[in-house]
Structure formats: C-alpha cells, structure tokens
Amino acid sequence: MPTPSLRPWQPERDAGAVLAAFHASADLHRQAPPLETVDDARRYLAAIAGEALAIALDDEAVGCVMAAERDARHGTAWMSYWLAPAARGAGLASRALDTLSRRLFAEGFHRLELGARANNPASIAVAERAGFVREGVERERLRYVDGHGRAERFDVVRLARLASDPAPSLPPL
C-alpha cells in the first residue's frame, strides 16, 4: 500500500506529474492557468510553492492542498485542493485538507474558508469530511467558458472551519 504524505512542491521533479494529472481530468483546468506543456506546469508550481503542498503517494505527487490569501490580521486563509483522477476516492484530499488546516490553526489562524461548485458533490464531501461546515450558496458565482466559447455559470457552496470547531478524526498526512 502506498504511503501518503504532504511535502513541498519540487517544480522540476513534479511538473510532469502535474501536467499528466491535468490532462487526465476534465475538471482540473479550473484549478490553474492553462497547462499545456511541462514548462507551463513548472511555472504554475513555482507560482504556488509558497502557499501549497504536494499530496504524495510514495513521494510521487498526485495532488495539491493550498492555503492562499493568508491574512494574519484576521487569521484567515482561502483553502483549495485537487487530486489526479487515479488518486481519488481514498480520502487523501480530506486528510490533506485536515492536516494543513491543523497546521494553520497551530500557527494562529482562526478561520479557513473555501468554495466548491454546487455541481461537484465530491469536492463538497472532501471539505465536510475535513471538518468544514456549509455556510451558504453564492448563486452563479463562477463563470467558465468551454473550448467552444460557450459560457456557463455555476453556484458555489461556501464552507469554513474555525479553530474552535470540533476536529475530524482523520489520520494526518
């Protein structure tokens, strides 16, 4: 059984795995700028390296968990995550999100927020398993344009986890 972990991104090493994950999934293109080449993936990883960690199996990157828009004054951060299709369904994203959340709370953060498309119940379930609580729906919050130029709007479920909320009983990564 592969050993899961969180580790810093290594753009030179991980770019190929990230590019493969994005090409294997129709939904990951919404998580980053367009990634068409290994160089695109390297630039993406270099840009997020200060805020994100690789979710790894046997030290091979299979996903990402990130705390962006960190605000020390208010003790808040915006969380996000993604997994390569082959790594989904085993609870890795929830464990990664919970692990990073606990680290941030230990550093003094108080409120962690995220949003998931309402038509993506798997992503909402990841957040809820990691202790995030639904707070509402932002109607038609996101607008995505497909490869044919057709735009579609999506509702977003907003979730948050407070340092004072009960922690889930997930094994840390």
Side-chain angles (χ1 to χ4, degrees), residues 4 8 12 16 30 38 40 52 63 71 75 91 98 109 122 127 136 153 165 167 169 173:
E12 290 299 319
R30 297 179 176 131
V38 172
D40 292 340
D71 183 332
D98 177 50
F109 284 83
R153 289 220 161 258
D165 285 342
S169 57
L173 292 185

Side-chain angles (χ1 to χ4, degrees), residues 1-19:
M1 173 177 257
T3 303
S5 64
L6 289 182
R7 65 166 174 77
W9 282 108
Q10 300 170 18
E12 290 299 319
R13 174 185 175 195
D14 297 329
V18 168
L19 185 62

Side-chain angles (χ1 to χ4, degrees), residues 98-127:
D98 177 50
T99 299
L100 182 55
S101 296
R102 289 174 192 248
R103 290 180 188 178
L104 292 168
F105 292 144
E107 293 173 14
F109 284 83
H110 178 72
R111 178 183 170 84
L112 306 177
E113 304 168 330
L114 62 85
R117 289 188 330 275
N119 70 337
N120 189 347
S123 184
I124 294 166
V126 163

Side-chain angles (χ1 to χ4, degrees), residues 7-146:
R7 65 166 174 77
W9 282 108
Q10 300 170 18
E12 290 299 319
R13 174 185 175 195
D14 297 329
V18 168
L19 185 62
F22 275 70
H23 282 271
S25 176
D27 64 338
L28 285 184
H29 71 280
R30 297 179 176 131
Q31 299 290 331
L35 300 181
E36 299 298 329
T37 67
V38 172
D39 284 338
D40 292 340
R42 274 192 209 104
R43 283 190 291 276
Y44 163 67
L45 292 177
I48 67 168
E51 302 173 327
L53 294 169
I55 302 169
L57 289 175
D58 288 340
D59 209 35
E60 294 301 318
V62 296
C64 179
V65 63
M66 181 166 26
E69 300 176 30
R70 296 178 190 204
D71 183 332
R73 176 179 176 209
H74 297 292
T76 61
W78 183 259
M79 309 299 285
S80 62
Y81 44 86
W82 60 261
L83 280 176
R88 295 176 186 170
L92 281 176
S94 293
R95 290 175 62 196
L97 181 60
D98 177 50
T99 299
L100 182 55
S101 296
R102 289 174 192 248
R103 290 180 188 178
L104 292 168
F105 292 144
E107 293 173 14
F109 284 83
H110 178 72
R111 178 183 170 84
L112 306 177
E113 304 168 330
L114 62 85
R117 289 188 330 275
N119 70 337
N120 189 347
S123 184
I124 294 166
V126 163
E128 290 177 332
R129 280 192 301 272
F132 284 71
V133 176
R134 290 182 196 217
E135 294 188 327
V137 174
E138 295 177 290
R139 297 177 306 138
E140 298 185 8
R141 169 74 170 90
L142 298 177
R143 177 180 175 264
Y144 293 115
V145 179
D146 68 17

